[in-house]
């Protein structure tokens, strides 16, 4: 699954650690999701969407 | 905040302490196999080597990579590991030096068993308490890799043993073999993720 996490994060000038703190997860989690090595669960995807004030579909797309 | 007055080891990485721990274990095993040291000396050296688990855990906490659940897990395993070495040493000493009845032998054999159960319980608690789903996923996958290793090696060795090609090994080896598989898989996933 592709995602816009890195772009959205850069637009806000957030580091992976900043985003991790906002999501309440580890920096490793943000890194794994961002690089496509791990697909988040639905609750975490909703939380990511909430943090970026976008829909899940806008952030995550199928390959 | 420094715990001891020794300044040099405080800044060492977790990898350094793990390397030192493995080197010590390897040296002790080599000395025992070649009869360079006797069993009580080996037990004492092993117990002293277990003290290296403290800086391993501390260095891991300093690195900031551990979740709160992982920190609790590390401390639980640390306590269980000390209990294991102490229990094993005590059980072997009692068994070798005293003519014990079967119920007593059963009781002393539980001395290393119970801390080992503690380690298994600590892993179960970690998987329950870990709130970070990616870290939980990573540990679960590593545990499955460790399990696969135990099954593969166990079956491989078991049949070689059945046909008398290799000597008998004690079944408690499943835990160290599983833990080794878990550690290798964790390390591989960590390196791959970064």
């Amino acid at each position: 699954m592709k995602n816009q996490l890195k772009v959205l994060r850069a637009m806000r000038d957030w580091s992976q650690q900043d985003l991790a703190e906002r999501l309440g997860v580890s920096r490793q989690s943000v890194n794994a999701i961002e690089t496509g090595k791990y697909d988040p669960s639905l609750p975490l995807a909703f939380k990511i969407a909430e943090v970026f004030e976008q829909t899940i579909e806008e952030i995550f797309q199928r390959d | 905040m420094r715990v001891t007055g020794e300044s040099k080891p405080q800044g060492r990485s977790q990898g350094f302490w793990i390397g030192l721990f493995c080197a010590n274990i390897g040296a002790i095993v080599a000395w025992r196999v070649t009869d360079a040291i006797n069993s009580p000396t080996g037990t004492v050296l092993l117990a002293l080597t277990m003290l290296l688990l403290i800086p391993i855990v501390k260095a891991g906490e300093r690195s900031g990579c551990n979740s709160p659940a992982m920190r609790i897990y590390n401390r639980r395993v640390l306590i269980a590991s000390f209990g294991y070495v102490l229990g094993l040493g005590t059980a072997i000493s009692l068994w070798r030096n005293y003519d014990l009845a079967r119920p007593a032998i059963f009781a002393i054999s539980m001395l290393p068993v119970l801390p080992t159960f503690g380690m298994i319980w600590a892993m179960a608690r970690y998987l329950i308490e870990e709130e970070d789903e990616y870290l939980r996923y990573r540990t679960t996958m590593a545990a499955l890799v460790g399990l696969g290793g135990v099954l593969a090696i166990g079956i491989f060795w078991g049949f070689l043993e059945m046909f008398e090609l290799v000597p008998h090994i004690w079944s408690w080896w499943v835990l160290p073999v599983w833990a080794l598989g878990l550690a290798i898989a964790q390390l591989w996933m960590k390196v791959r993720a970064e």
Side-chain angles (χ1 to χ4, degrees), chain B residues 94-108:
Chain B
L94 290 172
W95 186 62
R96 286 195 174 154
N97 297 314
Y98 297 95
D99 189 18
L100 301 170
R102 285 180 70 86
I105 294 172
F106 177 83
I108 63 163

Side-chain angles (χ1 to χ4, degrees), chain B residues 38 48 191:
Chain B
N38 59 21
L48 290 173
V191 169

